Amino acid sequence: MSEIAVPVIAIDGPSGSGKGTLCQTLARHFGWHLLDSGALYRLTGMAADRHGVALDDELAVAELAKNLDVQFVPGAAGEPTSVLLEGDDVSGELRTEKTGLLASKVAVLGAVRSALLQRQRDFAQAPGLVADGRDMGTVVFTDAPLKIFLTASAEERAQRRYKQLKSKGDDVNLATLLLEIQARDKRDSERELAPLKPAADAIQLDSSGLGIEEVFERVLAEAKIRLPSL
């Protein structure tokens, strides 16, 4: 069990379900800290790639994870957070499909997950934390008073990602994106360590066809019930 001295809202779910936007909105609404746990795995994968460390060399990748030289630099009002890896701004590279694949591969390594576990728990600081990930409610913050498992159909998530990448001018194929999402879902849900699944006490919410405001209002209503001090 994790030891939580401050309130934590744990949001889990697959890629493209809207977790990131929801968590940022909640953190901004409450004035709480935000943990993007996926960024830590993405950064670990990037560090391994840039240092030529094989992704199946578990101990070497775990050593990188334990000593990640990372900075999260908040942007100005309305601007995203900048992410620095070893002093380099990797904010754009962090969200590419290539980096997502690297993250998915290192996330199955037990030693890597152990190396990042306490680092994630250390984000739980007053006045509160919104934690975004795949095992926030099942592993990292097991006693979080509010756990949400946010999902959407693979087709919906592929459409969202397609529109996002096209808006950036990327040349992408919808059918290929769908296959990649389905493959990642399978890999994440079937891995032996911390598989992607809802916690037993999580509220499951399907965001297919819902706008972010609708999702936010539903989660906010649950927060007021589970966290009466808000």
Side-chain angles (χ1 to χ4, degrees):
M1 294 285 285
S2 58
E3 295 295 331
I4 299 179
V6 297
V8 172
I9 297 176
I11 312 284
D12 290 316
S15 176
S17 60
K19 290 186 289 105
T21 303
L22 172 62
C23 289
Q24 290 176 40
T25 304
L26 287 167
R28 187 164 51 246
H29 176 80
F30 292 126
W32 287 7
H33 299 284
L34 174 66
L35 165 60
D36 178 356
S37 66
L40 295 178
Y41 286 98
R42 285 172 177 263
L43 288 161
T44 298
M46 289 174 65
D49 188 52
R50 67 163 49 185
H51 289 290
V53 175
L55 296 181
D56 57 357
D57 187 341
E58 185 167 352
L59 294 181
V61 177
E63 190 65 20
L64 284 175
K66 186 166 59 175
N67 298 292
L68 272 181
D69 178 7
V70 175
Q71 288 178 279
F72 294 92
V73 184
E79 295 296 320
T81 296
S82 295
V83 183
L84 306 183
L85 176 61
E86 299 169 354
D88 299 327
D89 190 333
V90 296
S91 307
E93 186 182 353
L94 192 67
R95 298 302 172 189
T96 64
E97 294 301 304
K98 174 188 175 182
T99 304
L101 181 60
L102 293 174
S104 189
K105 289 183 176 179
V106 301
V108 302
L109 304 175
V112 172
R113 303 196 74 86
S114 295
L116 291 177
L117 181 58
Q118 190 57 50
R119 192 163 192 163
Q120 293 173 83
R121 287 178 174 164
D122 288 342
F123 276 80
Q125 299 178 19
L129 174 70
V130 180
D132 168 359
R134 284 176 168 74
D135 63 348
M136 296 298 96
T138 55
V139 176
V140 183
F141 299 109
T142 54
D143 48 356
L146 176 58
K147 301 172 186 175
I148 302 290
F149 190 83
L150 186 65
T151 189
S153 69
E155 291 75 15
E156 172 91 5
R157 289 182 283 128
Q159 283 281 358
R160 292 173 182 174
R161 185 62 174 158
Y162 177 79
K163 291 177 182 178
Q164 181 184 46
L165 293 173
K166 290 295 281 188
S167 71
K168 296 179 180 179
D170 294 347
D171 183 18
V172 289
N173 179 275
L174 180 59
T176 300
L177 282 176
L178 177 58
L179 290 175
E180 290 174 350
I181 284 174
Q182 291 171 329
R184 184 170 184 181
D185 285 351
K186 180 178 174 62
R187 185 165 58 246
D188 288 347
S189 62
E190 293 181 354
R191 68 190 182 207
E192 183 176 349
L193 294 169
L196 173 63
K197 64 178 182 179
D201 55 347
I203 297 167
Q204 298 187 49
L205 178 57
D206 190 330
S207 68
S208 301
L210 298 178
I212 182 58
E213 283 300 324
E214 293 175 277
V215 175
F216 170 72
E217 290 298 335
R218 292 191 187 189
V219 174
L220 185 59
E222 293 293 343
K224 290 177 179 178
I225 295 171
R226 303 291 183 95
L227 297 161
S229 61
L230 292 178

